[in-house]
Amino acid sequence: MALAFVDVDGTIIKGTSCEKLFIPYLIRNNKLGLRQFFHFAWFALRHFSKYGLRVYKRDKAYLTGLSIEETEQLAKAFIGRIIPERLNPLIIAELERHRTAGDELVLLSGTPEFLAEPLGRKLGIENIIACKVLSLNGCYTSGDPAQHPYGQSKLQLAREYCLKRGASLEKSAAYADKSSDLPLLEQVGTAVAVTPVRRLRKVALTKDWRIIG
């Protein structure tokens, strides 16, 4: 069985990340205020020395105090209304090609689960590996996410998934757009750079990887 790991932001979805689009959506629905801003800023201050500039990708403290159930409902509506026009048709065609070949599709992204899961359902992808935001008593907290697929962590999660499914990472494919995805792209059998940033494009050209966009 072959696996195809597909990133979300900049790969399946063109332009601005799914999460960055969702934050204004939460604001328009009166879900974010000073409390969430404070926790977001405090998380960045507390964890900057550990994560550096990537702390902002890991910082989900803007969700502090929001109901999980309500956030999931909003995310489902958001994915249904906002995302269809931002889907990358070239990658949607690639998903169909893998599906026809009998490959197993896996969304592998730092996007929060409450966004990745409805997106996966919309695309017919059941296997989701995404950011796990901490929660307590039905509400999100300001803690460090329990899982954040990014950089080396994304590679490790892909390895664990392959082990669970009895598949080989060397026979798998991966689609991504950022140089932070290089640890994964350099280990799979088929690496595809999607509208890649300059550094990733340079590596893709050097290694003769396929480039889309």
Side-chain angles (χ1 to χ4, degrees):
M1 175 180 60
L3 303 179
F5 295 98
V6 189
D7 187 26
V8 172
D9 299 320
T11 304
I12 288 179
I13 295 176
K14 298 181 291 183
T16 306
S17 77
C18 189
E19 189 175 11
K20 285 183 180 176
L21 292 169
F22 187 59
I23 291 174
Y25 188 80
L26 286 173
I27 293 173
R28 289 197 297 275
N29 282 276
N30 300 313
K31 299 302 176 188
L32 301 186
L34 286 176
R35 180 186 179 195
Q36 285 73 31
F37 176 79
F38 169 80
H39 282 289
F40 178 81
W42 181 235
F43 182 99
L45 285 171
R46 276 189 300 156
H47 296 287
F48 185 81
S49 61
K50 182 177 182 181
Y51 298 119
L53 289 176
R54 62 190 173 95
V55 72
Y56 297 105
K57 292 186 176 294
R58 198 174 177 98
D59 190 348
K60 312 304 177 191
Y62 68 88
L63 296 162
T64 302
L66 270 64
S67 156
I68 294 174
E69 182 179 358
E70 196 172 8
T71 304
E72 288 177 345
Q73 290 174 352
L74 285 167
K76 182 180 177 182
F78 166 80
I79 292 294
R81 293 173 191 168
I82 309 297
I83 293 304
E85 64 187 32
R86 295 178 179 271
L87 294 175
N88 185 338
L90 297 175
I91 301 305
I92 300 303
E94 286 294 307
L95 297 180
E96 286 307 312
R97 186 178 67 78
H98 279 287
R99 198 172 276 124
T100 300
D103 298 339
E104 183 170 309
L105 298 169
V106 184
L107 281 191
L108 177 55
S109 169
T111 299
E113 283 183 331
F114 57 77
L115 289 169
E117 288 177 354
L119 177 62
R121 285 195 293 272
K122 187 169 191 61
L123 298 173
I125 301 174
E126 296 179 354
N127 312 300
I128 310 293
I129 305 173
C131 181
K132 294 182 181 294
V133 183
L134 294 186
S135 64
L136 181 67
N137 297 329
C139 293
Y140 293 114
T141 71
S142 61
D144 199 6
Q147 172 179 289
H148 184 235
Y150 183 84
Q152 286 289 342
S153 172
K154 188 176 272 191
L155 170 60
Q156 181 59 32
L157 289 164
R159 280 182 169 147
E160 291 173 5
Y161 189 84
C162 284
L163 186 63
K164 185 174 69 174
R165 299 292 293 141
S168 164
L169 190 62
E170 290 72 23
K171 293 181 180 178
S172 299
Y175 294 75
D177 68 310
K178 301 285 193 310
S179 52
S180 59
D181 297 307
L182 277 169
L184 173 63
L185 292 170
E186 287 176 330
Q187 296 301 316
V188 295
T190 304
V192 183
V194 182
T195 55
V197 297
R198 181 179 298 180
R199 183 185 167 207
L200 177 55
R201 181 178 291 275
K202 186 176 179 180
V203 173
L205 289 170
T206 302
K207 293 181 177 289
D208 200 24
W209 292 345
R210 187 175 167 209
I211 298 175
I212 296 177

